[in-house]
């Protein structure tokens, strides 16, 4: 979104929220699929198929997908600015940070349980205490910083 367009959109949002005089309701659009494999094909292909290790996740492998989405959303003219919802949203980051194995196909990414039976849940408190030391947490922070740098102020990055 160009700076002027962003200011116009923000003003329409402010008017709408304050119940001001508006010509129409706010409009937000979604392009394409909800499938991560279709939204981020280059990034997902870079991960390969099978169990995913943290070292395989490189932000630059997703930049082409983010750029394609950004360009597509610029053509809409709706009221919502294009926002990247965090690092790559297809990775189950919380589960990975807590130690769940992460798996991928060419269309999807998911986590598998890190507990073998219900009685093991007593260790979750110890796991949470170590979450900030997780290599997956470090990767999430790194990916987000790389994406912010790549976006260069052209679009916001969510958390």
């Amino acid at each position: 979104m160009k700076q002027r367009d962003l200011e116009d959109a923000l003003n329409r949002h402010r008017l709408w929220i304050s119940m001001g005089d508006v010509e129409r309701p706010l409009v937000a659009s979604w392009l394409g699929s909800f499938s991560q494999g279709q939204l981020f094909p280059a990034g997902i292909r870079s991960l390969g198929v099978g169990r995913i290790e943290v070292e395989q996740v490189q932000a630059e492998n997703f930049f082409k997908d983010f750029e394609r989405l950004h360009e597509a959303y610029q053509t809409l003219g709706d009221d919502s600015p294009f926002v990247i919802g965090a690092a790559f949203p297809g990775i189950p980051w919380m589960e990975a940070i807590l130690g769940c194995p992460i798996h991928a196909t060419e269309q999807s990414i998911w986590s598998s349980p890190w507990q073998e039976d219900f009685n093991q849940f007593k260790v979750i408190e110890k796991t949470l205490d170590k979450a900030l030391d997780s290599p997956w947490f470090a990767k999430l922070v790194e990916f987000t910083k790389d994406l912010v740098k790549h976006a260069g102020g052209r679009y916001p990055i969510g958390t």
Side-chain angles (χ1 to χ4, degrees):
M1 210 174 239
K2 297 175 188 160
Q3 187 61 31
R4 184 72 213 149
D5 294 339
L6 180 58
E7 291 172 19
D8 290 343
L10 289 172
N11 286 332
R12 285 191 299 277
H13 280 259
R14 287 184 189 107
L15 276 171
W16 178 260
I17 290 169
S18 67
M19 299 177 75
D21 188 20
V22 296
E23 296 176 12
R24 59 174 174 76
L26 297 174
V27 175
S29 304
W30 181 271
L31 288 177
S33 171
F34 288 102
S35 162
Q36 297 300 311
Q38 291 180 17
L39 291 172
F40 300 95
I44 286 187
R45 272 194 311 274
S46 74
L47 298 174
V49 173
R51 184 163 175 175
I52 304 304
E53 301 298 335
V54 69
E55 299 82 18
Q56 292 171 257
V57 181
Q58 300 299 320
E60 60 270 9
N61 293 335
F62 291 82
F63 289 167
K64 180 179 177 182
D65 296 324
F66 287 124
E67 286 304 311
R68 180 183 40 74
L69 289 168
H70 177 247
E71 289 174 17
Y73 274 89
Q74 298 313 298
T75 66
L76 293 178
D78 66 3
D79 297 311
S80 294
F82 177 73
V83 177
I84 292 293
F88 171 57
I91 293 176
W93 292 101
M94 185 62 69
E95 291 88 340
I97 290 167
L98 292 175
C100 293
I102 306 301
H103 308 276
T105 65
E106 293 177 354
Q107 289 296 314
S108 185
I109 301 175
W110 69 95
S111 63
S112 58
W114 60 278
Q115 300 286 331
E116 291 184 22
D117 69 49
F118 187 75
N119 293 325
Q120 290 178 307
F121 276 96
K122 60 186 173 194
V123 301
I124 197 165
E125 189 173 323
K126 293 177 186 175
T127 304
L128 289 172
D129 288 343
K130 297 177 184 175
L132 296 180
D133 298 327
S134 163
W136 281 98
F137 179 75
K139 178 58 72 172
L140 175 60
V141 171
E142 172 192 306
F143 196 121
T144 303
K145 286 180 179 180
D146 289 347
L147 186 53
V148 167
K149 185 176 178 180
H150 175 76
R154 295 175 294 138
Y155 48 85
I157 310 301
T159 55

